Amino acid sequence: MISQFFVLSQRGDNIVFRDYRGEVPKGSAEIFFRKVKFWEDGGLEEAPPVFNVDGVNYFHVKVVGLLFVATTRVNTSPSYVLELLQRIARVIKDYLGILNEDSLRKNFVLVYELLDEVIDFGYVQTTSTELLKSYVFNEPLVVDATRMPPLGPATLFAQGTKRMPGIAVTKSVVATEPGGRKREEIFVDIIEKISITFSSSGYILTSEIDGTIQMKSYLSGNPEIRLALNDDLAIGRGQGPVYGYRSSTGSGVVVLDDCNFHESVRLDSFEVDRTLSLVPPDGEFPVMNYRMTQEFKPPFRINALIEEAGAHKAEVILKVRAEFASSITANTIKVQMPLPKYTNRVSFELEPGASGQTTDFKEANKRLEWNLKKATVLVIFYSLSPVPFTVILQSKV
C-alpha cells in the first residue's frame, strides 16, 4: 500500500496531490523536492528512484519532465511501486491524450477521479484504461498538441516525410471526434534503447538493444488483430537458424536473447509463423519487450584520443561520426560528457556558419552538453584541458 501520491513540475510546483491514509506529513512534497534538487549523498549526481527521509519511503519516476511520486512508511516492494507510478502516468495519458503540466492543470477534476478509482485507501484496485471507462465519466478538456515539447528519443531518426505526425496519437482514447464519430485507428511504434561501449580506438566492446513494441488502440468493439514479426526471428542463443544465416530476403537473422509479452497476447501460432494474436485493450500498452545482444551496426561511432598538452593541461579529442544513410535525418541530438571535478572554466568554438546548435557547461555536475536540432552527417571534435578547460567543437551538418 502507499500513503500519498503527488505529481510535481520541474520547478517543484505541486500539480496533483492525493493523501490516502494520513500517515505521512502534509509537507512531504516540499521535503521530497528539496531532497531531490540538492541531492548530495553517496557521490551520486541525481537522487535514486527510491530513498528514505525520516522514516518515509519516497518512490519517484520522471515522465515527460514531470515527477510522479508515491510515499509510504511500510516496507513495500520498490519495483511494485515504480511500476505502479508508470502505469498511473500511462492511464492519465490515455485519458488526456497529452501528458504535460498544462493538460494536468486543465483536467485536474478528471485526474482526481481517476486516482480515486485506481487507488482506494492506499491499495491498488486497477490500472486498466478499459475497466476504468465503466467508472469514470468526466470528459477530458482538449489541449493544443502544437504546444507539446520537442521530439523525444523515440523520434530520434526520421526518414523523409514518412514519419507519422506527432499529433496522430496525442488524442484521448475516451473522447469522440467532432460530430460523434469514432476513431477506428490503431498505431504501432517500435522504441529501442541502444547501449554500446567503445574502446579508445573505436572498436565495439559490448552492445545491447532493449526494445519495446508499443501499441495504442482507438478501435471500437475490441476486435482481434494479428501482428506479424520476422519469419526468421529466433528467441535465445542456440535456438532457430544458425547465427549469421542470411534469409531469402537478404536480411540477417534476428536473434533475441529474451522477450516477454503483454497479458492480452496469445502465442498459439507464434512458434509456427511468428504471428501474435491479441485483442488490444483501450489505450497505450507494450505488446512485447525484448533484449538483443546480437552484433549490429551502431548509428554513431566514437573515437577518443587523450594527449598531455602541458603541466596543467590535457587534450581529449573525441570524434563522433554518423553511420546511418544520408537519406535519414537524426533529430534532437544531445551529446553529454563528464568533465574532471577540478574543471573551473570552459570556452566553446563552433564552426563558422553552424546553425541550430547550442553548447553549455553544467558547472554543478561538471558536465558538457552539445545539442543539435537536426543532422544527416555528423562529425564532432572535442579538445579538453583540465585547468583551465578549453573546448573546441567543429561540426559538419
Side-chain angles (χ1 to χ4, degrees):
M1 65 181 180
I2 64 173
S3 298
Q4 296 173 333
F5 169 82
F6 50 89
V7 181
L8 302 181
S9 69
Q10 293 182 342
R11 304 179 304 276
D13 297 334
N14 203 335
I15 305 173
V16 176
F17 186 91
R18 194 71 174 88
D19 194 333
Y20 294 100
R21 304 181 64 86
E23 300 172 338
V24 178
K26 296 293 184 180
S28 58
E30 183 178 352
I31 296 173
F32 164 80
F33 186 75
R34 189 184 301 113
K35 189 70 174 178
V36 170
K37 188 72 172 178
F38 305 101
W39 182 267
E40 295 180 356
D41 189 8
L44 299 176
E45 294 182 358
E46 296 182 353
V50 182
F51 58 86
N52 183 285
V53 179
D54 297 331
V56 178
N57 298 315
Y58 291 87
F59 308 81
H60 76 281
V61 296
K62 183 177 289 187
V63 183
V64 293
L66 299 173
L67 290 167
F68 286 70
V69 190
T71 65
T72 181
R73 287 189 177 275
V74 300
N75 187 14
T76 305
S77 169
S79 58
Y80 169 80
V81 180
L82 295 177
E83 176 66 19
L84 171 63
L85 294 175
Q86 293 282 4
R87 293 199 180 193
I88 291 177
R90 188 178 302 156
V91 167
I92 295 176
K93 183 176 183 295
D94 286 341
Y95 270 80
L96 305 187
I98 299 174
L99 181 58
N100 57 23
E101 183 177 347
D102 191 24
S103 64
L104 285 177
R105 293 188 184 279
K106 286 188 175 181
N107 293 277
F108 72 94
V109 175
L110 173 59
V111 172
Y112 276 100
E113 187 177 3
L114 285 170
L115 292 176
D116 287 340
E117 298 296 339
V118 170
I119 302 175
D120 184 16
F121 196 57
Y123 294 93
V124 181
Q125 305 302 305
T126 181
T127 56
S128 169
T129 302
E130 189 172 2
L131 293 178
L132 287 169
K133 290 172 66 175
S134 303
Y135 307 101
V136 178
F137 302 101
N138 275 305
E139 287 285 334
L141 298 177
V142 179
V143 176
D144 188 3
T146 59
R147 300 177 60 183
M148 290 185 64
L151 297 174
T155 53
L156 176 63
F157 297 101
Q159 188 166 4
T161 58
K162 296 181 180 180
R163 183 176 61 84
M164 184 66 67
I167 60 173
V169 290
T170 56
K171 295 185 179 180
S172 171
V173 298
V174 297
T176 56
E177 294 288 290
R181 295 181 293 107
K182 281 284 188 179
R183 302 186 66 195
E184 298 298 336
E185 299 173 326
I186 188 167
F187 297 91
V188 181
D189 199 2
I190 298 178
I191 303 173
E192 292 184 334
K193 177 183 178 182
I194 303 176
S195 301
I196 304 177
T197 303
F198 292 96
S199 67
S200 59
S201 56
Y203 290 101
I204 297 177
L205 301 179
T206 61
S207 60
E208 180 177 302
I209 295 178
D210 291 306
T212 300
I213 301 178
Q214 201 85 3
M215 185 175 289
K216 189 165 187 178
S217 174
Y218 294 93
L219 301 176
S220 59
N222 300 106
E224 181 179 353
I225 65 172
R226 296 172 67 87
L227 182 65
L229 305 178
N230 296 41
D231 292 336
D232 50 11
L233 178 68
I235 309 296
R237 298 292 183 180
Q239 301 293 327
V242 178
Y243 176 72
Y245 168 81
R246 292 284 173 177
S247 66
S248 59
T249 60
S251 60
V253 174
V254 179
V255 182
L256 304 181
D257 290 68
D258 50 64
C259 63
N260 58 69
F261 302 91
H262 189 265
E263 57 188 14
S264 64
V265 176
R266 294 198 301 273
L267 304 174
D268 301 336
S269 60
F270 181 71
E271 293 295 336
V272 179
D273 55 8
R274 292 299 189 236
T275 59
L276 307 176
S277 301
L278 68 152
V279 177
D282 292 333
E284 187 174 346
F285 65 99
V287 178
M288 173 182 176
N289 299 309
Y290 59 89
R291 183 175 63 91
M292 185 177 75
T293 57
Q294 175 186 357
E295 293 182 9
F296 57 89
K297 185 177 180 180
F300 300 97
R301 189 169 293 276
I302 302 176
N303 297 85
L305 176 64
I306 304 176
E307 293 181 348
E308 292 186 6
H312 300 285
K313 184 178 180 180
E315 290 186 355
V316 179
I317 301 176
L318 179 64
K319 178 180 178 182
V320 182
R321 184 177 183 85
E323 295 287 320
F324 46 82
S326 58
S327 59
I328 301 176
T329 301
N331 300 303
T332 60
I333 303 170
K334 177 181 289 188
V335 179
Q336 297 181 338
M337 183 171 59
L339 307 177
K341 292 184 178 180
Y342 44 79
T343 303
N344 57 15
R345 184 165 56 88
V346 176
S347 61
F348 301 93
E349 291 183 13
L350 290 174
E351 186 181 49
S355 62
Q357 304 180 31
T358 60
T359 55
D360 192 15
F361 170 50
K362 304 294 185 180
E363 190 172 2
N365 50 18
K366 304 299 182 183
R367 186 176 63 194
L368 182 148
E369 290 187 358
W370 185 20
N371 300 289
L372 300 94
K373 291 184 178 179
K374 182 183 294 185
T376 53
V377 180
L378 175 64
V379 182
I380 307 172
F381 295 95
Y382 289 106
S383 177
L384 312 180
S385 58
V387 184
F389 209 101
T390 303
V391 179
I392 301 174
L393 305 180
Q394 298 177 343
S395 65
K396 295 180 182 179
V397 180

